[in-house]
Amino acid sequence: MLSLLLLCSFSTPIVEDYELFESAVRPVLIERCYRCHNSVERTEGGLALDHAAGLLEGGNSGPAIVPGDPEGSLLLRAVRHSEGAPRMPREEPRLQPDELEALATWIAAGASDPRDTRPTAEDFAAETSWENVARRRLAWW
């Protein structure tokens, strides 16, 4: 009984973190970051954001995120256009306030990321396909 209670108490945050990543963080990374920061086609600044290790290892400027520390995470500072950080995305409009909040919340919660391996070229193409992007956008409504 105690083990079931402990499992239930720990599983809710994990499920919520996973849902936050899948519903709000992954779409932002795919639509706003992957064009320049992926491990398949283009890795600007040595940074690939299409797998968990890429975020943690970071690129030429160091780790992109520090789990549990949004303010210490270069990714968040870059998309917020914080002083001293690169301003991202470069060739597109700034992220919306709800996108910034989702990233900050996700990082503060420990940055759970189910993407444990680099994507293959086929996986990357499928994830960034117009059909999958459209499906994710429809899910927002």
Side-chain angles (χ1 to χ4, degrees):
M1 179 72 166
L2 180 59
S3 61
L4 178 61
L5 180 61
L6 288 173
L7 178 64
C8 291
S9 67
F10 288 113
S11 66
T12 301
I14 292 168
V15 169
E16 289 172 1
D17 292 348
Y18 176 79
E19 289 173 357
L20 175 62
F21 179 81
E22 292 300 337
S23 67
V25 174
R26 187 191 297 246
V28 169
L29 295 175
I30 290 170
E31 292 189 40
R32 306 299 299 276
C33 305
Y34 279 15
R35 183 164 48 112
C36 297
H37 300 287
N38 67 78
S39 58
V40 175
E41 298 172 348
R42 187 172 171 190
T43 312
E44 292 278 327
L47 179 60
L49 299 176
D50 55 2
H51 58 99
L55 283 160
L56 296 171
E57 293 166 7
N60 300 342
S61 299
I65 61 167
V66 179
D69 184 8
E71 301 309 316
S73 296
L74 182 57
L75 174 67
L76 191 58
R77 292 191 345 259
V79 296
R80 284 180 171 165
H81 292 197
S82 299
E83 189 169 329
R87 293 180 177 208
M88 297 292 156
R90 278 197 188 134
E91 301 170 10
E92 296 181 19
R94 293 175 73 162
L95 271 62
Q96 297 297 311
D98 61 324
E99 294 171 322
L100 295 170
E101 182 61 31
L103 286 171
T105 300
W106 172 68
I107 294 168
S112 296
D113 188 340
R115 304 167 307 152
D116 56 357
T117 60
R118 287 187 160 114
T120 64
E122 294 79 20
D123 291 340
F124 183 78
E127 188 170 41
T128 58
S129 72
W130 184 88
E131 293 84 7
N132 281 332
V133 170
R135 179 182 46 78
R136 278 189 297 276
R137 287 181 182 175
L138 285 173
W140 290 342
W141 306 106

